[in-house]
Amino acid sequence: MRNLSARVRGAPDRLLRDVSLSVAPGEVRGLVGESGAGKSMIGKAVLGILPRAVEVLSGEILLEGTDLLRLAPADRRRRIGATCALIPQDPLTALNPSRRIGPQMTDRLIDILGWSRTKAQDRARDLLAEVQITDPDRVLRQYPHELSGGMRQRVLIAAAFAAEPKLIVADEPTTALDVTVQKEVLRLIAGMQARHGTALLFVTHDLGVVSKVCQSLTVLYGGLVVENTTLRDFFPAPAHPYARALLAATPKYTDPGSSLVPVPQAVLDGVQAQVVAADRGWRNG
Amino acid sequence: MQLFRAVILRLLTTAVTLSGVAVIVFVVIRVVPGNPIAMMLPPGATDEDVARLTALYGLDKSIFRQFLIWAGGVLQGDFGTSITTRQPVLGLVLGRLPATLELSVMALVIATVIGGFAALTGTRLRGTRSEAAIDVANGMALSVPDFLWGLVLILLFGVLWPVFHISGRVTPSIDLPFTTNFYLIESLVRLRPDLWWDIVSHMLLPALALAIPLAAIIGQVLKQSLKETMHLDYVTLSRTKGYSETHVITREALPNAVLPALTLVGVQFTFLIGGTVIIERLFSYEGLGNMAIDAVINRDLPLIQGIVILFAVIFTGVNLIVDLAYAALNPRLRHG
């Protein structure tokens, strides 16, 4: 992704401010920032599901060398469907309640990729087994309401890998889950990603999660990339003061007695000034 | 098993409802002014003639006694004899029922097709001028009652551009070789497209008049329901799979959006059946509603009772069908 800018149609300010980031094959990149920083917006832009009110102003989204934004809408849709996938945030609302699990996992393979029904079903069965679902055939015949939240999240993870996508966007996949299940789901995603060698863009607000599954990360503030680095460089000492404050603000489970540290106001003022400066440059250019 | 029990329970409550309707109708039409006997006799009739006829029809007894006699007959399948035509009420009413059923169902089908199409198109084109145009048309269709639509249609397609028939159920000169009164269905079964078209061109305008307001309601409710469904995560997920907007709306959102709309359509359909009374009159269509108006004008008490009971049976039947359809469409209820 290069220099991507977007805004709400007609609004004076941008939501994304010249965002550039990349995910290499097999890499897991964390995308962190506070609420409203634009991290989910980036995931949506990649998958072509930005809300109607949001328009892309400039920049490009390159997928294996092709700029998705320059494709005709129908081509872009099919290209994304064939090469990208989404692991959604809330497993309870991300499955269609009136359709069985089987068709929901195989529809893309059959309709978009042109697989045969049997081949797609075999694939779905294998993937369910891979996410440690014990009776795949039964689950394929069931409706979403017959499965627990954890089971549904497994189904969604398995479905995301079904078409062997090049890139998967995981949109806060653990936020809606119980803390006890979170760890297991993280391990599952990381394991699947490693086995399939997929590039993974992991959207989260939790630096603890990033430290467990990612190799690199991008920190956003107000739609502006403040830090783009590898995990190894980040964790001892983030370069940007905001990133440093964010790291310090992360609750430490190892030390339950420590109190929460807010991001200092001076740091917020500093990064806000940077956003304003970026906008000044954008308006004049 | 659970479904079976629910149906039995519904039939029992239906029986109670129908008894209540029977009592109310029976009492009301005897309390309001107007005397069937006076309507039947020539102006010069003596008081003795009046008394004799009144006794003949049992109208000299108390309302309570009259009701017991009538209810006893109904339980044995005897709805009494029409005062004006001297024929059994049951036969008269069942003879007209097919005409009204065919008209109502045709109106419902037209309303569902138009309303469904409007809702889907409006959702597909949301945020554009076309959506606004559909909304405006919807509001217009909704704010004009069915009998005014009937008059408009008569003017447009019966007078200014006479392409359809505006009176009756079939061209009177045609001798129908039918054994049932389901003309529309029987003309299809007997493979007589010529008769079928004559019947359809008679039914189309009254059916359309009934359908337009219902289509607007279906369009509005379904569109609102679709709008809420379109925001859900599984719809977004389906978009990322590479599906077109049309596919996403019809395959993912529609099946879930239909459920809330269905209950309302059931309720509205019973209103539509009520609307046939006026519309059949307007188009001289020989159905139950037209017969009901004649029966009221002539104070034909047994016939009014029979028609009202039949309408009540249809209403409760429609509600039962809607509930069953709801259960069939919702997997959560099916597998309880």
Side-chain angles (χ1 to χ4, degrees):
Chain A
M1 180 181 295
R2 257 186 241 147
N3 300 328
L4 190 74
S5 289
R7 69 169 175 192
V8 173
R9 255 172 245 287
D13 288 325
R14 292 178 295 174
L15 286 173
L16 300 179
R17 297 175 159 95
D18 290 324
V19 172
S20 297
L21 60 89
S22 69
V23 192
E27 183 193 21
V28 184
R29 175 171 289 273
L31 189 53
V32 292
E34 47 193 80
S35 309
K39 52 192 195 300
S40 277
M41 210 51 81
I42 291 173
K44 287 192 172 111
V46 171
L47 293 169
I49 49 172
L50 281 174
R52 278 158 184 266
V54 176
E55 62 178 335
V56 172
L57 295 167
S58 58
E60 43 193 17
I61 301 173
L62 298 167
L63 186 73
E64 297 183 301
T66 317
D67 184 2
L68 291 177
L69 297 175
R70 293 172 76 160
L71 292 175
D75 293 340
R76 177 166 64 221
R77 218 173 53 219
R78 293 191 152 262
R79 174 68 69 93
I80 291 170
T83 49
C84 301
L86 169 71
I87 298 177
Q89 178 171 9
D90 186 354
L92 298 182
T93 56
L95 288 164
N96 188 331
S98 63
R99 296 177 69 205
R100 292 172 199 273
I101 299 295
Q104 297 200 53
M105 285 187 71
T106 56
D107 54 1
R108 179 202 324 241
L109 302 178
I110 296 167
D111 298 337
I112 306 296
L113 296 168
W115 291 24
S116 74
R117 189 165 295 274
T118 17
K119 191 180 164 199
Q121 268 161 0
D122 290 345
R123 174 83 177 142
R125 199 175 297 123
D126 292 347
L127 280 163
L128 286 184
E130 205 181 325
V131 293
Q132 289 140 39
I133 283 177
T134 41
D135 193 353
D137 283 302
R138 204 173 66 113
V139 170
L140 286 176
R141 282 193 309 271
Q142 282 178 314
Y143 284 96
H145 71 269
E146 298 173 90
L147 304 177
S148 68
M151 286 279 269
R152 288 188 229 186
Q153 187 62 283
R154 284 159 192 270
V155 166
L156 287 164
I157 292 168
F161 284 91
E164 287 294 350
K166 303 284 183 251
L167 172 71
I168 290 182
V169 176
D171 188 7
E172 311 221 18
T174 56
T175 311
L177 297 177
D178 198 83
V179 188
T180 49
V181 199
Q182 274 188 13
K183 220 186 195 167
E184 209 184 313
V185 168
L186 277 182
R187 202 162 40 219
L188 205 62
I189 295 177
M192 290 287 281
Q193 184 273 335
R195 269 194 302 279
H196 294 261
T198 322
L200 182 64
L201 186 62
F202 201 104
V203 179
T204 179
H205 58 256
D206 189 345
L207 279 172
V209 168
V210 171
S211 71
K212 286 195 192 84
V213 293
C214 301
Q215 286 111 48
S216 56
L217 85 167
T218 300
V219 182
L220 278 176
Y221 180 88
L224 191 74
V225 173
V226 296
E227 181 128 14
N228 227 340
T229 177
T230 62
L231 199 68
R232 197 172 312 146
D233 292 338
F234 182 83
F235 270 105
H240 194 278
Y242 175 71
R244 222 160 24 233
L246 205 61
L247 185 56
T250 308
K252 292 165 192 64
Y253 299 111
T254 46
D255 182 10
S258 66
S259 55
L260 293 175
V261 187
V263 175
Q265 191 59 44
V267 174
L268 286 181
D269 291 346
V271 72
Q272 187 60 45
Q274 209 177 335
V275 168
V276 171
D279 275 356
R280 198 176 300 125
W282 169 62
R283 286 214 176 82
N284 296 337
Chain B
M1 202 54 222
Q2 220 173 1
L3 187 71
F4 182 72
R5 248 207 337 251
V7 171
I8 293 291
L9 195 70
R10 274 298 286 274
L11 289 179
L12 285 177
T13 52
T14 301
V16 176
T17 311
L18 291 181
S19 318
V21 170
V23 171
I24 293 169
V25 170
F26 201 90
V27 173
V28 165
I29 60 178
R30 276 168 180 72
V31 170
V32 293
N35 182 348
I37 305 301
M39 311 282 294
M40 289 166 71
L41 289 168
T46 62
D47 285 352
E48 275 169 40
D49 292 334
V50 173
R52 216 174 47 241
L53 259 179
T54 309
L56 183 68
Y57 286 103
L59 296 175
D60 53 342
K61 301 187 175 71
S62 72
I63 290 185
F64 184 64
R65 279 295 302 276
Q66 287 183 44
F67 182 75
L68 284 186
I69 294 168
W70 178 74
V74 166
L75 289 178
Q76 295 166 40
D78 175 13
F79 282 75
T81 307
S82 158
I83 295 178
T84 35
T85 64
R86 318 264 157 96
Q87 287 171 12
V89 165
L90 191 61
L92 286 174
V93 167
L94 290 183
R96 287 290 187 96
L97 177 63
T100 298
L101 279 186
E102 284 190 342
L103 182 65
S104 322
V105 171
M106 189 175 187
L108 179 66
V109 170
I110 294 175
T112 310
V113 170
I114 298 179
F117 185 75
L120 290 173
T121 320
T123 308
R124 178 70 187 82
L125 301 173
R126 64 193 177 285
T128 67
R129 272 161 205 262
S130 311
E131 188 205 5
I134 289 174
D135 285 346
V136 169
N138 222 323
M140 276 165 58
L142 197 61
S143 46
V144 176
D146 49 11
F147 55 88
L148 280 184
W149 281 119
L151 290 173
V152 169
L153 291 172
I154 287 176
L155 273 176
L156 287 180
F157 300 107
V159 180
L160 289 178
W161 186 42
V163 279
F164 296 112
H165 297 279
I166 53 169
S167 169
R169 204 179 163 200
V170 68
T171 305
S173 56
I174 294 180
D175 200 13
L176 291 173
F178 291 168
T179 49
T180 69
N181 283 332
F182 287 98
Y183 291 175
L184 193 65
I185 297 170
E186 196 165 346
S187 66
L188 278 176
V189 173
R190 286 178 189 269
L191 301 174
R192 291 289 301 272
D194 51 328
L195 295 181
W196 182 81
W197 174 245
D198 187 72
I199 293 158
V200 167
S201 65
H202 277 86
M203 284 172 76
L204 204 60
L205 293 187
L208 207 53
L210 289 166
I212 290 172
L214 181 60
I217 295 175
I218 293 178
Q220 208 174 46
V221 173
L222 187 61
K223 190 170 153 229
Q224 183 58 33
S225 178
L226 272 171
K227 200 174 175 183
E228 284 158 22
T229 312
M230 291 302 284
H231 288 302
L232 297 177
D233 290 351
Y234 59 80
V235 173
T236 309
L237 188 61
S238 174
R239 282 205 189 97
T240 69
K241 288 177 180 176
Y243 286 111
S244 69
E245 190 67 15
T246 309
H247 177 105
V248 168
I249 293 172
T250 52
R251 292 275 299 280
E252 300 279 344
L254 185 62
N256 296 296
V258 158
L259 286 175
L262 189 68
T263 317
L264 190 110
V265 169
V267 175
Q268 292 296 331
F269 183 53
T270 55
F271 283 125
L272 183 147
I273 294 172
T276 59
V277 175
I278 307 279
I279 291 296
E280 285 182 6
R281 194 66 173 183
L282 201 59
F283 288 87
S284 308
Y285 184 88
E286 295 105 12
L288 266 182
N290 214 343
M291 184 187 248
I293 293 182
D294 284 333
V296 170
I297 290 174
N298 295 321
R299 298 287 186 272
D300 192 338
L301 304 183
L303 190 54
I304 299 176
Q305 284 152 211
I307 293 172
V308 172
I309 292 291
L310 188 61
F311 268 122
V313 170
I314 295 174
F315 277 35
T316 47
V318 167
N319 282 328
L320 183 64
I321 291 171
V322 169
D323 285 357
L324 291 177
Y326 196 89
L329 283 176
N330 190 341
R332 260 166 296 197
L333 292 180
R334 216 183 314 152
H335 301 275

